[in-house]
Amino acid sequence: MRNAIKLTTTLLAAGGLALGLTACGSDSSSSTSAGSPAGSSDKALVVAASPTPHALILTYIKDHLAAKAGLKLEIKEVTDYVTPNTAVQDGSADANFFQHQPYLDDFNKQHGTDIVSVEPVHLEPLGVYSKKVKSLAELPSGATVAVPNDATNEGRALKLLADNNVITLKDGAGTTATVRDITGNPKHLKWKELEAAQLPRALADVDAAVINGNYALDSGLKPATDAIAVEKAEGNPYANILAVKKGKESDPRVKKLAELLHSPEVKKYIEDTFNGSVIPAF
């Protein structure tokens, strides 16, 4: 994780779920210790998830599919990108659902964690939003653009701008690209690097912002209709995944949830509910 992520956020996250998570759709019958051993299918599976769309998808499963599948599901809503991985690593959550593989790879590298993907579920297209211009071509010289400051999402945001001919990046700049990798900036854009969750709130103070799909949806923005530029789904490596600590992939509760996340019912729910702002990756 890049040093730009505030130490206070990491310290709070390290404290576990008590400070970072809010129960969503749980009840006393499903509450239990998250650290249940693999094979304890009578225990509730505790999943840390971003509110939108992740917790909404899980709530649909809990309300409509889980009981028939014999799965007890407890959902914990998380609004940052550190706590859910910390929780899975320390055992205060069994699984999480909020991130893509490049972010997880970087998190494991930076924090020494051993969290693994179970399967990809959906793509939330990254979008550029603005309250001041209606296209990237209208950005004035010297405009300020806000981008996520975490390692993989900043590179992803810059690639989106490069794909739309706003900037150029040096050869070989990949998912961990930063503003220092910009080699061409004809509009002399200025950059504001912020935590991903802060970007929607900062939108009124900048000329444009590149916002992750889940935070856009949380703030009432619709990537499919409100973004002035949006990622393409084809060949996109940023599908959001169900993840667990290494060794828990064989937990029968995790396997049941993975099956439900790839069910026709969930695919239809995603398509009907999010209208192209969230795209099934299965």
Side-chain angles (χ1 to χ4, degrees):
M1 186 62 56
R2 185 169 299 137
N3 290 335
I5 292 183
K6 294 181 180 178
L7 179 61
T8 52
T9 301
T10 305
L11 290 173
L12 286 174
L17 299 185
L19 293 178
L21 304 186
T22 303
C24 172
S26 62
D27 53 43
S28 59
S29 65
S30 63
S31 297
T32 188
S33 171
S36 56
S40 299
S41 56
D42 58 324
K43 304 288 187 179
L45 183 73
V46 179
V47 185
S50 296
T52 306
H54 309 80
L56 292 177
I57 294 170
L58 292 173
T59 299
Y60 172 80
I61 289 173
K62 180 181 175 69
D63 292 346
H64 299 280
L65 305 175
K68 185 176 180 180
L71 175 66
K72 295 179 181 178
L73 187 60
E74 183 176 342
I75 307 157
K76 298 289 186 177
E77 291 191 359
V78 189
T79 57
D80 71 87
Y81 282 175
V82 177
T83 306
N85 277 336
T86 305
V88 165
Q89 184 68 24
D90 68 21
S92 48
D94 296 300
N96 65 44
F97 181 29
F98 80 102
Q99 65 193 322
H100 49 64
Q101 189 69 54
Y103 179 87
L104 175 58
D105 290 342
D106 182 73
F107 190 96
N108 280 333
K109 180 179 178 180
Q110 297 297 327
H111 294 267
T113 47
D114 56 350
I115 301 167
V116 297
S117 171
V118 178
E119 64 181 17
V121 180
H122 71 264
L123 174 71
E124 300 163 25
L126 199 70
V128 185
Y129 300 84
S130 177
K131 292 183 178 295
K132 299 178 180 179
V133 299
K134 294 183 179 180
S135 72
L136 288 172
E138 294 179 14
L139 282 172
S141 180
T144 298
V145 178
V147 295
N149 70 1
D150 63 89
T152 53
N153 282 308
E154 182 167 9
R156 184 182 177 189
L158 295 175
K159 183 180 185 302
L160 174 58
L161 293 171
D163 288 345
N164 284 273
N165 302 312
V166 177
I167 59 171
T168 55
L169 297 170
K170 71 179 182 182
D171 292 343
T175 58
T176 58
T178 74
V179 294
R180 292 181 292 279
D181 295 309
I182 297 172
T183 56
N185 185 8
K187 288 181 176 287
H188 308 288
L189 300 176
K190 300 174 183 177
W191 306 100
K192 181 173 286 191
E193 298 167 283
L194 299 172
E195 288 188 45
Q198 297 177 2
L199 289 165
R201 295 192 294 273
L203 186 56
D205 300 321
V206 296
D207 294 285
V210 188
I211 303 176
N212 293 71
N214 61 309
Y215 290 131
L217 291 168
D218 277 341
S219 63
L221 296 168
K222 297 180 180 180
T225 56
D226 296 332
I228 59 175
V230 69
E231 281 181 316
K232 296 179 180 179
E234 297 80 7
N236 196 305
Y238 294 102
N240 281 208
I241 58 177
L242 176 68
V244 298
K245 188 173 182 179
K246 188 175 181 180
K248 294 205 72 169
E249 307 97 310
S250 60
D251 186 322
R253 301 168 303 160
V254 172
K255 289 184 175 181
K256 285 181 181 179
L257 179 57
E259 291 174 2
L260 294 176
L261 283 167
H262 274 203
S263 66
E265 293 90 343
V266 167
K267 184 175 184 179
K268 186 176 187 301
Y269 171 78
I270 292 173
E271 292 173 340
D272 291 349
T273 302
F274 301 108
N275 298 310
S277 296
V278 180
I279 304 168
F282 57 94

